[in-house]
CSV table of all heavy atoms in Angstrom, one decimal:
chain,number,residue,atom,x,y,z
B,321,GLU,N,16.2,-34.6,-18.7
B,321,GLU,CA,17.0,-34.6,-20.0
B,321,GLU,C,18.3,-33.9,-20.0
B,321,GLU,O,19.2,-34.4,-20.6
B,321,GLU,CB,16.1,-33.9,-21.1
B,321,GLU,CG,15.2,-35.0,-21.9
B,321,GLU,CD,14.3,-34.2,-22.8
B,321,GLU,OE1,14.3,-32.9,-22.8
B,321,GLU,OE2,13.4,-34.9,-23.5
B,322,GLN,N,18.2,-32.8,-19.3
B,322,GLN,CA,19.4,-31.9,-19.3
B,322,GLN,C,20.5,-32.2,-18.3
B,322,GLN,O,21.5,-31.6,-18.3
B,322,GLN,CB,18.9,-30.4,-19.1
B,322,GLN,CG,18.2,-29.9,-20.3
B,322,GLN,CD,17.2,-28.6,-19.8
B,322,GLN,OE1,17.4,-28.1,-18.8
B,322,GLN,NE2,16.4,-28.3,-20.7
B,323,SER,N,20.2,-33.2,-17.5
B,323,SER,CA,21.1,-33.5,-16.3
B,323,SER,C,21.8,-34.8,-16.4
B,323,SER,O,21.3,-35.7,-17.1
B,323,SER,CB,20.4,-33.4,-15.0
B,323,SER,OG,19.7,-32.2,-14.9
B,324,GLU,N,23.0,-34.8,-15.7
B,324,GLU,CA,23.7,-36.1,-15.8
B,324,GLU,C,23.5,-36.9,-14.5
B,324,GLU,O,23.8,-38.2,-14.6
B,324,GLU,CB,25.3,-35.7,-15.9
B,324,GLU,CG,25.6,-35.3,-17.3
B,324,GLU,CD,27.1,-34.8,-17.4
B,324,GLU,OE1,27.8,-35.0,-16.4
B,324,GLU,OE2,27.4,-34.3,-18.4
B,325,ASN,N,23.0,-36.4,-13.5
B,325,ASN,CA,22.6,-37.2,-12.4
B,325,ASN,C,21.3,-36.7,-11.7
B,325,ASN,O,20.9,-35.6,-11.9
B,325,ASN,CB,23.7,-37.3,-11.4
B,325,ASN,CG,24.1,-36.0,-10.8
B,325,ASN,OD1,23.3,-35.4,-10.1
B,325,ASN,ND2,25.3,-35.4,-11.0
B,326,MET,N,20.7,-37.6,-10.9
B,326,MET,CA,19.5,-37.3,-10.4
B,326,MET,C,19.5,-36.1,-9.5
B,326,MET,O,18.5,-35.3,-9.5
B,326,MET,CB,19.1,-38.5,-9.5
B,326,MET,CG,17.8,-38.4,-8.8
B,326,MET,SD,16.5,-38.8,-10.0
B,326,MET,CE,16.6,-40.6,-9.7
B,327,ASN,N,20.5,-36.0,-8.6
B,327,ASN,CA,20.5,-34.7,-7.7
B,327,ASN,C,20.5,-33.4,-8.5
B,327,ASN,O,19.7,-32.5,-8.2
B,327,ASN,CB,21.8,-34.8,-6.9
B,327,ASN,CG,21.7,-35.8,-5.9
B,327,ASN,OD1,20.7,-36.3,-5.6
B,327,ASN,ND2,22.9,-36.2,-5.3
B,328,HIS,N,21.3,-33.4,-9.5
B,328,HIS,CA,21.3,-32.2,-10.5
B,328,HIS,C,20.0,-32.0,-11.1
B,328,HIS,O,19.4,-30.9,-11.1
B,328,HIS,CB,22.4,-32.4,-11.5
B,328,HIS,CG,22.5,-31.2,-12.4
B,328,HIS,ND1,22.0,-31.1,-13.7
B,328,HIS,CD2,23.1,-30.0,-12.1
B,328,HIS,CE1,22.2,-29.8,-14.1
B,328,HIS,NE2,22.9,-29.1,-13.2
B,329,ALA,N,19.3,-33.1,-11.6
B,329,ALA,CA,18.0,-33.0,-12.3
B,329,ALA,C,17.0,-32.4,-11.3
B,329,ALA,O,16.2,-31.5,-11.7
B,329,ALA,CB,17.6,-34.3,-12.8
B,330,LEU,N,17.0,-32.9,-10.1
B,330,LEU,CA,15.9,-32.5,-9.2
B,330,LEU,C,16.2,-31.0,-8.7
B,330,LEU,O,15.2,-30.2,-8.5
B,330,LEU,CB,15.9,-33.5,-8.0
B,330,LEU,CG,15.4,-34.9,-8.4
B,330,LEU,CD1,15.2,-35.8,-7.3
B,330,LEU,CD2,14.1,-34.8,-9.2
B,331,ALA,N,17.5,-30.7,-8.6
B,331,ALA,CA,17.8,-29.4,-8.2
B,331,ALA,C,17.4,-28.4,-9.2
B,331,ALA,O,16.9,-27.3,-8.9
B,331,ALA,CB,19.3,-29.2,-7.8
B,332,LEU,N,17.6,-28.8,-10.5
B,332,LEU,CA,17.3,-27.9,-11.7
B,332,LEU,C,15.8,-27.7,-11.7
B,332,LEU,O,15.2,-26.6,-11.9
B,332,LEU,CB,17.8,-28.5,-13.0
B,332,LEU,CG,17.6,-27.8,-14.2
B,332,LEU,CD1,18.4,-26.5,-14.2
B,332,LEU,CD2,18.2,-28.6,-15.5
B,333,TYR,N,15.0,-28.8,-11.6
B,333,TYR,CA,13.6,-28.7,-11.5
B,333,TYR,C,13.1,-27.8,-10.5
B,333,TYR,O,12.2,-27.0,-10.7
B,333,TYR,CB,13.0,-30.2,-11.5
B,333,TYR,CG,11.5,-30.2,-11.2
B,333,TYR,CD1,10.6,-29.6,-12.2
B,333,TYR,CD2,11.0,-30.6,-9.9
B,333,TYR,CE1,9.3,-29.6,-11.9
B,333,TYR,CE2,9.6,-30.5,-9.7
B,333,TYR,CZ,8.7,-30.1,-10.7
B,333,TYR,OH,7.4,-30.0,-10.4
B,334,LYS,N,13.7,-27.9,-9.3
B,334,LYS,CA,13.2,-27.2,-8.2
B,334,LYS,C,13.4,-25.6,-8.5
B,334,LYS,O,12.5,-24.8,-8.3
B,334,LYS,CB,14.0,-27.5,-7.0
B,334,LYS,CG,13.7,-26.8,-5.7
B,334,LYS,CD,14.3,-27.4,-4.5
B,334,LYS,CE,14.0,-26.6,-3.3
B,334,LYS,NZ,14.3,-27.3,-2.0
B,335,ARG,N,14.5,-25.3,-9.1
B,335,ARG,CA,14.8,-23.9,-9.5
B,335,ARG,C,13.8,-23.4,-10.4
B,335,ARG,O,13.2,-22.3,-10.3
B,335,ARG,CB,16.2,-23.8,-10.1
B,335,ARG,CG,17.1,-23.1,-9.1
B,335,ARG,CD,18.4,-22.7,-9.7
B,335,ARG,NE,19.0,-23.3,-10.9
B,335,ARG,CZ,19.8,-24.4,-10.9
B,335,ARG,NH1,20.2,-24.8,-9.8
B,335,ARG,NH2,20.3,-24.8,-11.9
B,336,LYS,N,13.5,-24.3,-11.6
B,336,LYS,CA,12.6,-23.8,-12.6
B,336,LYS,C,11.3,-23.7,-12.0
B,336,LYS,O,10.5,-22.7,-12.2
B,336,LYS,CB,12.6,-24.9,-13.6
B,336,LYS,CG,13.8,-24.9,-14.6
B,336,LYS,CD,13.6,-26.0,-15.6
B,336,LYS,CE,14.9,-26.1,-16.4
B,336,LYS,NZ,14.7,-27.0,-17.6
B,337,LYS,N,10.8,-24.5,-11.1
B,337,LYS,CA,9.5,-24.5,-10.5
B,337,LYS,C,9.3,-23.3,-9.6
B,337,LYS,O,8.3,-22.6,-9.6
B,337,LYS,CB,9.2,-25.8,-9.7
B,337,LYS,CG,8.0,-25.8,-8.8
B,337,LYS,CD,6.7,-25.9,-9.6
B,337,LYS,CE,5.5,-25.9,-8.7
B,337,LYS,NZ,4.9,-24.5,-8.3
B,338,ASN,N,10.4,-23.0,-8.8
B,338,ASN,CA,10.3,-21.8,-7.9
B,338,ASN,C,10.3,-20.5,-8.6
B,338,ASN,O,9.5,-19.6,-8.3
B,338,ASN,CB,11.4,-21.8,-6.9
B,338,ASN,CG,11.3,-22.9,-5.8
B,338,ASN,OD1,10.2,-23.2,-5.5
B,338,ASN,ND2,12.4,-23.3,-5.2
B,339,ASN,N,11.0,-20.4,-9.8
B,339,ASN,CA,10.9,-19.3,-10.6
B,339,ASN,C,9.5,-19.0,-11.1
B,339,ASN,O,9.1,-17.9,-11.2
B,339,ASN,CB,11.9,-19.4,-11.8
B,339,ASN,CG,13.4,-19.2,-11.5
B,339,ASN,OD1,13.6,-18.7,-10.4
B,339,ASN,ND2,14.2,-19.6,-12.3
B,340,LEU,N,8.9,-20.1,-11.5
B,340,LEU,CA,7.5,-20.0,-12.1
B,340,LEU,C,6.5,-19.5,-11.1
B,340,LEU,O,5.6,-18.7,-11.4
B,340,LEU,CB,7.2,-21.5,-12.5
B,340,LEU,CG,5.9,-21.8,-13.2
B,340,LEU,CD1,6.2,-21.4,-14.6
B,340,LEU,CD2,5.6,-23.3,-13.1
B,341,SER,N,6.7,-20.0,-9.8
B,341,SER,CA,5.7,-19.6,-8.8
B,341,SER,C,5.9,-18.2,-8.2
B,341,SER,O,4.9,-17.7,-7.8
B,341,SER,CB,5.8,-20.6,-7.5
B,341,SER,OG,6.0,-21.9,-8.0
B,342,PHE,N,7.1,-17.6,-8.2
B,342,PHE,CA,7.3,-16.4,-7.6
B,342,PHE,C,6.3,-15.3,-8.0
B,342,PHE,O,5.5,-14.8,-7.2
B,342,PHE,CB,8.8,-16.0,-7.9
B,342,PHE,CG,9.0,-14.7,-7.1
B,342,PHE,CD1,9.2,-14.6,-5.8
B,342,PHE,CD2,9.3,-13.5,-7.8
B,342,PHE,CE1,9.5,-13.5,-5.0
B,342,PHE,CE2,9.6,-12.4,-7.2
B,342,PHE,CZ,9.7,-12.3,-5.8
B,343,GLN,N,6.3,-14.9,-9.3
B,343,GLN,CA,5.4,-13.9,-9.7
B,343,GLN,C,3.8,-14.2,-9.5
B,343,GLN,O,3.1,-13.4,-9.2
B,343,GLN,CB,5.7,-13.5,-11.1
B,343,GLN,CG,6.9,-12.6,-11.4
B,343,GLN,CD,6.9,-12.0,-12.8
B,343,GLN,OE1,5.9,-11.8,-13.3
B,343,GLN,NE2,8.1,-11.7,-13.3
B,344,LYS,N,3.6,-15.5,-9.8
B,344,LYS,CA,2.2,-16.0,-9.7
B,344,LYS,C,1.7,-15.8,-8.3
B,344,LYS,O,0.5,-15.5,-8.1
B,344,LYS,CB,2.1,-17.4,-10.2
B,344,LYS,CG,2.1,-17.6,-11.7
B,344,LYS,CD,0.7,-17.2,-12.1
B,344,LYS,CE,0.8,-16.8,-13.6
B,344,LYS,NZ,-0.5,-16.1,-14.0
B,345,ASN,N,2.5,-16.1,-7.3
B,345,ASN,CA,2.1,-16.1,-5.9
B,345,ASN,C,1.8,-14.7,-5.6
B,345,ASN,O,0.8,-14.3,-4.9
B,345,ASN,CB,3.1,-16.6,-5.0
B,345,ASN,CG,3.0,-18.1,-4.9
B,345,ASN,OD1,2.0,-18.7,-5.1
B,345,ASN,ND2,4.1,-18.8,-4.6
B,346,ILE,N,2.7,-13.6,-6.0
B,346,ILE,CA,2.4,-12.2,-5.7
B,346,ILE,C,1.1,-11.8,-6.3
B,346,ILE,O,0.3,-11.1,-5.7
B,346,ILE,CB,3.6,-11.4,-6.2
B,346,ILE,CG1,4.8,-11.8,-5.5
B,346,ILE,CG2,3.3,-9.9,-6.1
B,346,ILE,CD1,6.1,-11.0,-6.0
B,347,LEU,N,0.9,-12.3,-7.5
B,347,LEU,CA,-0.3,-12.0,-8.3
B,347,LEU,C,-1.5,-12.4,-7.6
B,347,LEU,O,-2.6,-11.7,-7.4
B,347,LEU,CB,-0.3,-12.4,-9.7
B,347,LEU,CG,-1.4,-12.2,-10.7
B,347,LEU,CD1,-1.5,-10.7,-11.1
B,347,LEU,CD2,-1.5,-13.1,-11.8
B,348,ASN,N,-1.5,-13.7,-7.2
B,348,ASN,CA,-2.6,-14.3,-6.5
B,348,ASN,C,-2.9,-13.5,-5.2
B,348,ASN,O,-4.1,-13.3,-4.9
B,348,ASN,CB,-2.4,-15.8,-6.3
B,348,ASN,CG,-3.7,-16.4,-5.9
B,348,ASN,OD1,-4.0,-16.6,-4.7
B,348,ASN,ND2,-4.5,-16.8,-6.8
B,349,ASN,N,-1.9,-13.3,-4.5
B,349,ASN,CA,-2.1,-12.5,-3.2
B,349,ASN,C,-2.7,-11.1,-3.5
B,349,ASN,O,-3.7,-10.7,-2.8
B,349,ASN,CB,-0.8,-12.3,-2.4
B,349,ASN,CG,-0.4,-13.7,-1.8
B,349,ASN,OD1,-1.2,-14.5,-1.6
B,349,ASN,ND2,1.0,-13.8,-1.6
B,350,PHE,N,-2.4,-10.5,-4.5
B,350,PHE,CA,-2.9,-9.2,-5.0
B,350,PHE,C,-4.4,-9.4,-5.3
B,350,PHE,O,-5.2,-8.6,-4.8
B,350,PHE,CB,-2.1,-8.7,-6.1
B,350,PHE,CG,-2.8,-7.5,-6.8
B,350,PHE,CD1,-2.8,-6.2,-6.0
B,350,PHE,CD2,-3.4,-7.5,-8.0
B,350,PHE,CE1,-3.4,-5.1,-6.5
B,350,PHE,CE2,-3.9,-6.4,-8.5
B,350,PHE,CZ,-4.0,-5.2,-7.8
B,351,PHE,N,-4.7,-10.4,-6.1
B,351,PHE,CA,-6.2,-10.6,-6.4
B,351,PHE,C,-7.0,-11.0,-5.2
B,351,PHE,O,-8.1,-10.5,-5.0
B,351,PHE,CB,-6.3,-11.8,-7.3
B,351,PHE,CG,-5.9,-11.4,-8.8
B,351,PHE,CD1,-5.4,-12.4,-9.7
B,351,PHE,CD2,-6.2,-10.1,-9.3
B,351,PHE,CE1,-5.1,-12.0,-11.0
B,351,PHE,CE2,-5.9,-9.8,-10.6
B,351,PHE,CZ,-5.4,-10.8,-11.4
B,352,GLN,N,-6.3,-11.8,-4.2
B,352,GLN,CA,-7.1,-12.1,-3.0
B,352,GLN,C,-7.4,-10.9,-2.2
B,352,GLN,O,-8.4,-10.6,-1.6
B,352,GLN,CB,-6.4,-13.1,-2.2
B,352,GLN,CG,-6.2,-14.5,-2.9
B,352,GLN,CD,-7.6,-15.1,-3.2
B,352,GLN,OE1,-8.5,-14.9,-2.6
B,352,GLN,NE2,-7.5,-15.9,-4.2
B,353,PHE,N,-6.4,-9.9,-2.2
B,353,PHE,CA,-6.6,-8.7,-1.4
B,353,PHE,C,-7.7,-7.8,-2.1
B,353,PHE,O,-8.5,-7.3,-1.4
B,353,PHE,CB,-5.1,-8.0,-1.6
B,353,PHE,CG,-5.1,-6.5,-1.0
B,353,PHE,CD1,-5.0,-6.3,0.3
B,353,PHE,CD2,-5.3,-5.5,-2.0
B,353,PHE,CE1,-5.0,-4.9,0.8
B,353,PHE,CE2,-5.4,-4.2,-1.5
B,353,PHE,CZ,-5.2,-3.9,-0.1
B,354,LEU,N,-7.7,-7.8,-3.5
B,354,LEU,CA,-8.6,-7.1,-4.2
B,354,LEU,C,-10.0,-7.5,-3.9
B,354,LEU,O,-10.9,-6.8,-3.7
B,354,LEU,CB,-8.2,-7.1,-5.7
B,354,LEU,CG,-8.7,-6.1,-6.6
B,354,LEU,CD1,-8.1,-4.7,-6.3
B,354,LEU,CD2,-8.4,-6.5,-8.0
B,355,ILE,N,-10.2,-8.8,-4.1
B,355,ILE,CA,-11.7,-9.3,-4.0
B,355,ILE,C,-12.3,-9.1,-2.6
B,355,ILE,O,-13.5,-9.2,-2.6
B,355,ILE,CB,-11.8,-10.7,-4.5
B,355,ILE,CG1,-11.1,-11.7,-3.7
B,355,ILE,CG2,-11.5,-10.9,-6.0
B,355,ILE,CD1,-11.4,-13.2,-4.1
B,356,LYS,N,-11.4,-8.9,-1.6
B,356,LYS,CA,-12.0,-8.6,-0.3
B,356,LYS,C,-12.4,-7.2,-0.2
B,356,LYS,O,-13.0,-6.8,0.8
B,356,LYS,CB,-11.0,-9.0,0.8
B,356,LYS,CG,-10.9,-10.5,1.0
B,356,LYS,CD,-9.8,-10.8,2.0
B,356,LYS,CE,-9.4,-12.2,2.0
B,356,LYS,NZ,-8.0,-12.5,2.3
B,357,ARG,N,-12.1,-6.4,-1.2
B,357,ARG,CA,-12.4,-4.9,-1.1
B,357,ARG,C,-13.3,-4.5,-2.3
B,357,ARG,O,-12.8,-4.1,-3.4
B,357,ARG,CB,-11.2,-4.2,-1.1
B,357,ARG,CG,-10.5,-4.4,0.3
B,357,ARG,CD,-9.0,-4.0,0.3
B,357,ARG,NE,-8.4,-4.4,1.6
B,357,ARG,CZ,-8.0,-5.6,2.0
B,357,ARG,NH1,-8.1,-6.6,1.2
B,357,ARG,NH2,-7.5,-5.8,3.2
B,358,PRO,N,-14.5,-4.7,-2.2
B,358,PRO,CA,-15.5,-4.4,-3.3
B,358,PRO,C,-15.3,-3.0,-3.8
B,358,PRO,O,-15.4,-2.8,-5.1
B,358,PRO,CB,-16.9,-4.6,-2.8
B,358,PRO,CG,-16.7,-5.3,-1.4
B,358,PRO,CD,-15.4,-5.1,-0.9
B,359,LEU,N,-15.0,-2.1,-3.0
B,359,LEU,CA,-14.9,-0.7,-3.5
B,359,LEU,C,-13.7,-0.7,-4.6
B,359,LEU,O,-13.8,0.0,-5.7
B,359,LEU,CB,-14.6,0.3,-2.4
B,359,LEU,CG,-14.6,1.7,-2.8
B,359,LEU,CD1,-16.0,2.2,-3.2
B,359,LEU,CD2,-14.1,2.6,-1.5
B,360,LEU,N,-12.6,-1.3,-4.2
B,360,LEU,CA,-11.4,-1.4,-5.1
B,360,LEU,C,-11.7,-2.0,-6.4
B,360,LEU,O,-11.3,-1.7,-7.4
B,360,LEU,CB,-10.2,-2.0,-4.3
B,360,LEU,CG,-9.2,-1.2,-3.6
B,360,LEU,CD1,-8.1,-2.1,-3.1
B,360,LEU,CD2,-8.6,-0.2,-4.6
B,361,VAL,N,-12.4,-3.2,-6.2
B,361,VAL,CA,-12.9,-4.0,-7.4
B,361,VAL,C,-13.7,-3.1,-8.4
B,361,VAL,O,-13.4,-3.1,-9.6
B,361,VAL,CB,-13.6,-5.2,-7.1
B,361,VAL,CG1,-14.1,-6.0,-8.4
B,361,VAL,CG2,-12.8,-6.1,-6.2
B,362,ASN,N,-14.6,-2.3,-7.8
B,362,ASN,CA,-15.4,-1.4,-8.7
B,362,ASN,C,-14.5,-0.3,-9.3
B,362,ASN,O,-14.7,-0.1,-10.5
B,362,ASN,CB,-16.5,-0.7,-7.8
B,362,ASN,CG,-17.6,-1.7,-7.6
B,362,ASN,OD1,-17.9,-2.6,-8.5
B,362,ASN,ND2,-18.2,-1.7,-6.4
B,363,LEU,N,-13.6,0.2,-8.6
B,363,LEU,CA,-12.7,1.3,-9.2
B,363,LEU,C,-11.8,0.6,-10.3
B,363,LEU,O,-11.6,1.1,-11.4
B,363,LEU,CB,-11.7,1.7,-8.1
B,363,LEU,CG,-12.4,2.7,-7.1
B,363,LEU,CD1,-11.5,3.1,-6.0
B,363,LEU,CD2,-12.9,4.0,-7.8
B,364,THR,N,-11.4,-0.6,-10.0
B,364,THR,CA,-10.6,-1.4,-11.1
B,364,THR,C,-11.5,-1.6,-12.4
B,364,THR,O,-11.0,-1.4,-13.5
B,364,THR,CB,-10.0,-2.7,-10.5
B,364,THR,OG1,-9.4,-2.5,-9.3
B,364,THR,CG2,-9.1,-3.5,-11.5
B,365,ALA,N,-12.7,-2.0,-12.1
B,365,ALA,CA,-13.7,-2.3,-13.2
B,365,ALA,C,-13.8,-0.9,-14.0
B,365,ALA,O,-13.9,-0.9,-15.2
B,365,ALA,CB,-15.0,-2.7,-12.7
B,366,VAL,N,-13.9,0.3,-13.3
B,366,VAL,CA,-14.1,1.5,-14.1
B,366,VAL,C,-12.8,1.7,-14.9
B,366,VAL,O,-12.9,2.1,-16.1
B,366,VAL,CB,-14.3,2.6,-13.1
B,366,VAL,CG1,-14.3,4.0,-13.7
B,366,VAL,CG2,-15.7,2.4,-12.4
Side-chain angles (χ1 to χ4, degrees):
E321 264 169 3
Q322 290 159 13
S323 303
E324 282 174 9
N325 64 60
M326 179 82 85
N327 288 342
H328 182 258
L330 296 181
L332 184 61
Y333 168 64
K334 183 173 178 165
R335 249 193 335 271
K336 289 182 185 187
K337 167 73 179 89
N338 283 338
N339 285 344
L340 189 77
S341 312
F342 181 67
Q343 283 196 28
K344 278 284 158 193
N345 281 334
I346 296 177
L347 180 74
N348 193 268
N349 288 335
F350 171 69
F351 281 150
Q352 295 303 335
F353 171 85
L354 201 65
I355 60 169
K356 284 180 196 144
R357 290 161 182 84
L359 189 67
L360 264 183
V361 177
N362 286 321
L363 287 174
T364 310
V366 172

